[in-house]
Amino acid sequence: MNVKIPNEGLTIQNVKGIGEETALQMNQMGIYTVLDLLEYLPYRFEDYRLRDLEEVAHDERVTVEGKVHSEPSLMYFGRKKSRLTVRLLVGRYLIQAVFFNQPYLKKKINLHDTVTVTGKWDKNRQVITVQHFTGGPHNKDGDFEPVYSLKGNIKNQTLRKFIKKAFDDYHEIITENLPGVLLEKYKLMSRSDALYQMHFPASPADMKQARRRFVYEEFLLFQLKMQALRKFEREHSNGTAQHYDVEKIKVFTDSLPFPLTGAQKRVVNEISADMKSPFRMNRLLQGDVGSGKTVVAAIALFSSVTAGYQGALMVPTEILAEQHADSMSELLTPAGLSVALLTSSVKGKRRRLLLEKLKEGEIDILIGTHALIQEDVEFKSLGLVVTDEQHRFGVNQRRVLREKGESPDVLFMTATPIPRTLAITVFGEMDVSIIDEMPAGRKEIETYWTKADTLPRVLGFMDKELDQGRQAYVICPLIEESDKLDVQNAIDVYNQLLVYFEGRYKVGLMHGRLHPDEKEEVMRRFSSNDIQVLVSTTVVEVGVNVPNATFMLIYDAERFGLSQLHQLRGRVGRGENQSYCILLAEPKTEVGKERMKIMTETNDGFVLSEKDLELRGPGDFFGKKQSGLPEFKVADMVHDYRALEVARDDASALINSKDFWEDPQWGQLRLFLSESGVMKGEKLD
Ligand code: ADP
Ligand code: MG
């Protein structure tokens, strides 16, 4: 026993006091070796620092030291329930400390003793309901106590004792994985010191410094993997260097009916650089609804054609395909390009002819649904693939489309603003371009939040809009986990509105249980103003463009996430006329109220998505199932976002420097990478 072998395979039974039984319980917690134990970090800290009651808010948890000023009085109620009350003199305050169900403390607390108690402070009644009692004066050493996640019979204090022992006897097995230059650059603690301070913080400030080190370490290691994967994919992708014609592109952009916004120019340059490079582009283009992604895609597609290639644009629904085909033709046909639409409704001879032309290279740009990825669709030379609303396509569909050309560049577009933090992590291996500026002169959608009992007035407002020839969406209650109930709700509202608008306006109904053909039909009728009011569940298509719709009413808005509300709201505000969005909501919580309020305050999708992430946490942002977010032990993607950015930039610079692959000082990090498998192009977990 107790032979000190600097070996990370050392089992925990080598720590004094840990026997077989304890070892088994620790195994349950994922702790097998001494190093596992040393690296088993607390998930939070209990703050036992003394505070002046003057500064403590009502209901806050507080620790105070006081002198016992009365004999404790014990009262029983029920069989096992009791209440012990004692007066304490805390500074200038004479307060009451109340202990529930701890009758044995009566003997331990004596008049004139000095005791320390922690609990909830009732400011009005001047009472502390004690949660934690220390018989004696306040002990500064225990000011700040790490709290671990535990299993079995192991107690927090026991675990700490073992960790202390492990530190005493084996701290030299902790090795540094960050090179000195980085530690110095960011003034980070050594790994060994940081571990010690996480378990036995000398002060909150020391704990913070320790935590800062681990946040950086976790992010850096994660980003190194991402950046290495990205480099690997680029270099093994055999993309095509597209030698586009800069002069022609300039003439084309000058011919557009409006100047590009600064953000549009920037992303066009980012995309162009990728297309020109021999690596294959794998880029995500993010831009809020209406930020002008279509023009950017058009310029990219045009560039590809000037380089002698064809382009494809894939969208998730037929309606969107038709809309895109229209707007792309409008932009590209005058410039001499031939644009074609391929959906499942293009059949028979027309389809055969189209495919022939495509194969001959007579079609420059093909736009369509997943009909584009059927086997018999052959391009002459596909150079660029753009997909819109990328989250609607599966990974496989994107891959099939990509494999249609030699190695076409790929641009994914999405209108779902993803907070930068998440974009860095989820799409870490992709390049991300962001359009964060709206074209000038856009009318902001006016959003109001009101309660359900104002519905008659809201309907009056809607009437006025309809009377001016406009159209309206009515989005129906969302009932979680129950598609059936959602549909029923939509049907109920639909029936009410049928009666309300009878003989004046036509009302349509849209929900997830309709056949795809029926959905298309309803949308088509709404598009052509054959229907004026569309009652819908949230299935109302992302990206659908009916500029004449200026009014949206959302029932039970408190049940939607901010990002979803923003997406829904984006169906209006697409034309010249002022648009309105009314949120009917009665949120019960402060967070819920906050969400409604912020909807009325901003139209900026990125601001909303950041806020959403803050309020909901990363796991919930994408929905649990598809989140695929990495888990960090210490770091928090939302709050440590700045560190994430720094780590990302550092990782990127390192991976792309020659020095990193040669200099011995980066040896540990290189080892980490080769062990993680990314250098062989293996999938990340
Ligand atoms: P989205 O990003 O939602 O796809 P679109 O590309 O459909 O946005 O653009 C929305 C509207 O804004 C279109 O009518 C488009 O013509 C117009 N638009 C795009 N870029 C600009 C610009 N730079 N200046 C003015 N209008 C623009
Ligand atoms: Mg669009």
Side-chain angles (χ1 to χ4, degrees):
M1 285 294 282
N2 219 5
V3 196
K4 293 174 190 172
I5 316 162
N7 171 6
E8 44 178 84
L10 217 57
T11 66
I12 30 171
Q13 290 201 44
N14 287 286
V15 176
K16 250 202 193 126
I18 299 186
E20 203 169 327
E21 204 178 313
T22 311
L24 280 174
Q25 292 193 14
M26 288 202 168
N27 292 170
Q28 297 288 305
M29 291 156 60
I31 303 171
Y32 295 89
T33 66
V34 177
L35 194 63
D36 289 343
L37 181 62
L38 291 170
E39 290 181 343
Y40 195 78
L41 296 177
Y43 69 95
R44 69 179 179 90
F45 291 82
E46 199 68 82
D47 192 346
Y48 292 117
R49 280 174 292 169
L50 290 184
R51 286 177 63 193
D52 187 345
L53 281 174
E54 186 84 50
E55 297 159 6
V56 182
H58 179 65
D59 264 2
E60 233 188 314
R61 191 183 148 98
V62 63
T63 299
V64 293
E65 185 190 79
K67 223 179 179 111
V68 179
H69 209 290
S70 70
E71 288 293 347
S73 84
L74 181 62
M75 215 174 77
Y76 277 93
F77 48 99
R79 254 164 48 98
K80 283 192 176 157
K81 294 189 174 150
S82 72
R83 181 189 143 117
L84 184 72
T85 313
V86 63
R87 284 179 186 283
L88 289 183
L89 188 63
V90 178
R92 313 181 276 107
Y93 285 80
L94 185 59
I95 67 164
Q96 267 190 14
V98 177
F99 304 76
F100 284 102
N101 310 323
Q102 287 161 287
Y104 50 87
L105 286 180
K106 184 172 162 58
K107 284 202 195 104
K108 291 196 177 171
I109 299 174
N110 303 304
L111 200 61
H112 308 312
D113 276 0
T114 297
V115 295
T116 308
V117 296
T118 301
K120 207 165 161 188
W121 174 230
D122 183 332
K123 199 175 180 108
N124 307 325
R125 293 170 47 230
Q126 308 261 297
V127 172
I128 288 183
T129 306
V130 180
Q131 290 152 344
H132 186 90
F133 169 74
T134 323
H138 176 66
N139 174 7
K140 242 179 146 325
D141 290 347
D143 248 2
F144 217 58
E145 191 178 292
V147 182
Y148 299 85
S149 123
L150 302 165
K151 285 214 176 107
N153 307 328
I154 297 183
K155 298 266 183 307
N156 210 54
Q157 288 306 332
T158 326
L159 186 70
R160 291 189 75 201
K161 206 180 71 199
F162 291 141
I163 295 175
K164 185 76 174 62
K165 204 85 200 91
F167 253 106
D168 290 346
D169 293 345
Y170 299 104
H171 64 267
E172 67 270 35
I173 66 173
I174 301 167
T175 52
E176 183 52 75
N177 56 0
L178 298 180
V181 279
L182 289 180
L183 295 181
E184 255 161 59
K185 182 172 173 191
Y186 298 116
K187 304 265 178 289
L188 298 175
M189 275 184 196
S190 74
R191 194 159 207 281
S192 180
D193 287 351
L195 274 178
Y196 191 83
Q197 290 301 332
M198 288 296 278
H199 294 300
F200 312 103
S203 73
D206 288 308
M207 184 279 288
K208 269 200 182 131
Q209 288 303 325
R211 190 180 173 281
R212 195 166 67 85
R213 184 226 139 88
F214 284 113
V215 168
Y216 181 77
E217 176 188 317
E218 281 189 319
F219 282 155
L220 184 75
L221 295 183
F222 173 72
Q223 284 296 329
L224 278 173
K225 281 202 287 187
M226 289 300 230
Q227 302 297 328
L229 188 72
R230 173 176 181 170
K231 181 180 159 78
F232 180 89
E233 289 208 330
R234 269 178 169 253
E235 290 177 0
H236 293 75
S237 64
N238 302 318
T240 28
Q242 303 200 40
H243 302 290
Y244 49 75
D245 187 326
V246 181
E247 276 313 305
K248 281 189 191 162
I249 297 171
K250 204 174 166 311
V251 172
F252 175 64
T253 43
D254 286 347
S255 78
L256 293 171
F258 42 72
L260 296 181
T261 62
Q264 282 171 321
K265 280 187 201 150
R266 191 187 67 239
V267 303
V268 164
N269 285 332
E270 288 164 359
I271 293 166
S272 305
D274 275 3
M275 288 173 63
K276 199 159 64 181
S277 88
F279 302 128
R280 191 174 66 200
M281 171 161 73
N282 185 26
R283 186 171 283 278
L284 179 73
L285 173 61
Q286 281 196 60
D288 209 345
V289 178
S291 62
K293 292 183 293 297
T294 312
V295 186
V296 171
I299 296 172
L301 290 165
F302 181 86
S303 307
S304 199
V305 174
T306 69
Y309 294 92
Q310 292 163 295
L313 172 60
M314 185 160 87
V315 298
T317 67
E318 296 220 350
I319 306 169
L320 282 176
E322 283 169 20
Q323 285 182 356
H324 267 103
D326 284 347
S327 49
M328 283 293 172
S329 299
E330 215 172 287
L331 290 163
L332 296 171
T333 316
L337 268 58
S338 97
V339 178
L341 171 70
L342 179 62
T343 62
S344 51
S345 18
V346 179
K347 295 190 182 105
K349 189 158 171 236
R350 251 179 77 214
R351 184 166 191 276
R352 265 204 315 281
L353 215 67
L354 190 149
L355 293 186
E356 238 164 67
K357 283 168 99 182
L358 187 69
K359 205 171 157 187
E360 293 299 313
E362 286 167 38
I363 290 172
D364 295 313
I365 308 293
L366 186 64
I367 295 166
T369 52
H370 46 268
L372 288 193
I373 54 176
Q374 275 150 20
E375 226 169 84
D376 57 345
V377 180
E378 280 177 59
F379 290 81
K380 181 167 181 240
S381 59
L382 181 59
L384 173 67
V385 175
V386 181
T387 73
D388 198 5
E389 307 304 344
Q390 58 93 28
H391 57 284
R392 303 279 297 264
F393 291 108
V395 176
N396 279 333
Q397 284 175 313
R398 299 204 299 257
R399 190 173 45 81
V400 174
L401 183 59
R402 208 155 53 200
E403 284 168 2
K404 291 228 163 265
E406 286 289 84
S407 245
D409 285 322
V410 187
L411 181 67
F412 304 100
M413 300 201 290
T414 176
T416 312
I418 301 163
R420 281 158 209 271
T421 330
L422 291 192
I424 292 178
T425 42
V426 183
F427 301 106
E429 90 292 1
M430 278 171 111
D431 296 290
V432 180
S433 287
I434 299 178
I435 307 184
D436 50 6
E437 180 186 351
M438 284 286 175
R442 217 19 91 67
K443 281 208 178 81
E444 295 243 314
I445 301 165
E446 283 178 26
T447 302
Y448 300 97
W449 162 32
T450 174
K451 293 195 173 152
D453 58 12
T454 62
L455 186 62
R457 270 170 53 208
V458 172
L459 289 179
F461 188 174
M462 186 156 134
D463 259 325
K464 272 199 197 130
E465 282 296 297
L466 295 172
D467 289 348
Q468 293 185 49
R470 316 261 192 273
Q471 291 163 273
Y473 292 96
V474 177
I475 307 299
C476 274
L478 175 86
I479 292 178
E480 237 148 331
E481 322 269 357
S482 171
D483 183 28
K484 228 182 191 163
L485 284 175
D486 284 0
V487 170
Q488 191 49 50
N489 268 312
I491 294 172
D492 291 347
V493 171
Y494 168 70
N495 286 328
Q496 287 159 17
L497 293 183
L498 269 184
V499 175
Y500 182 84
F501 288 115
E502 193 176 358
R504 297 187 292 136
Y505 297 109
K506 279 199 208 133
V507 184
L509 175 65
M510 170 86 145
H511 59 70
R513 300 228 159 165
L514 294 180
H515 188 272
D517 288 347
E518 292 175 289
K519 280 192 213 164
E520 297 264 331
E521 179 57 20
V522 175
M523 276 322 294
R524 213 159 263 140
R525 288 183 63 199
F526 189 61
S527 281
S528 60
N529 200 358
D530 185 22
I531 288 171
Q532 287 75 44
V533 179
L534 182 64
V535 177
S536 176
T537 57
T538 52
V539 298
V540 58
E541 302 295 348
V542 176
V544 156
N545 193 21
V546 182
N548 191 45
T550 57
F551 189 92
M552 176 172 281
L553 168 60
I554 304 179
Y555 275 87
D556 290 352
E558 77 272 12
R559 304 201 197 204
F560 297 89
L562 279 178
S563 294
Q564 200 177 7
L565 285 174
H566 181 64
Q567 279 301 314
L568 287 167
R569 179 171 63 180
R571 300 309 103 217
V572 296
R574 316 192 122 242
E576 284 123 50
N577 299 305
Q578 179 60 52
S579 286
Y580 306 92
C581 176
I582 313 293
L583 308 169
L584 279 191
E586 292 180 35
K588 305 264 180 306
T589 62
E590 283 311 307
V591 168
K593 286 175 193 160
E594 173 80 6
R595 284 168 51 218
M596 292 306 111
K597 207 164 136 263
I598 186 138
M599 277 300 292
T600 65
E601 285 166 1
T602 182
N603 269 294
D604 184 328
F606 280 101
V607 171
L608 286 169
S609 73
E610 295 285 353
K611 197 78 194 168
D612 206 12
L613 179 62
E614 206 182 294
L615 295 175
R616 286 205 286 170
D620 287 342
F621 188 80
F622 286 113
K624 289 231 160 44
K625 264 189 217 130
Q626 48 169 321
S627 89
L629 293 172
E631 282 192 17
F632 298 109
K633 276 203 263 178
V634 177
D636 177 319
M637 279 190 287
V638 181
H639 295 108
D640 301 317
Y641 164 62
R642 290 262 309 270
L644 178 57
E645 272 193 328
V646 169
R648 193 258 326 260
D649 293 347
D650 286 351
S652 169
L654 282 175
I655 292 290
N656 294 303
S657 76
K658 215 167 136 240
D659 189 51
F660 178 77
W661 302 101
E662 290 166 3
D663 196 311
Q665 71 167 323
W666 306 107
Q668 278 282 17
L669 294 178
R670 284 199 302 267
L671 186 68
F672 161 78
L673 278 181
S674 67
E675 280 175 355
S676 74
V678 286
M679 300 321 294
K680 297 193 275 313
E682 286 166 17
K683 211 81 200 87
L684 286 170
D685 35 66

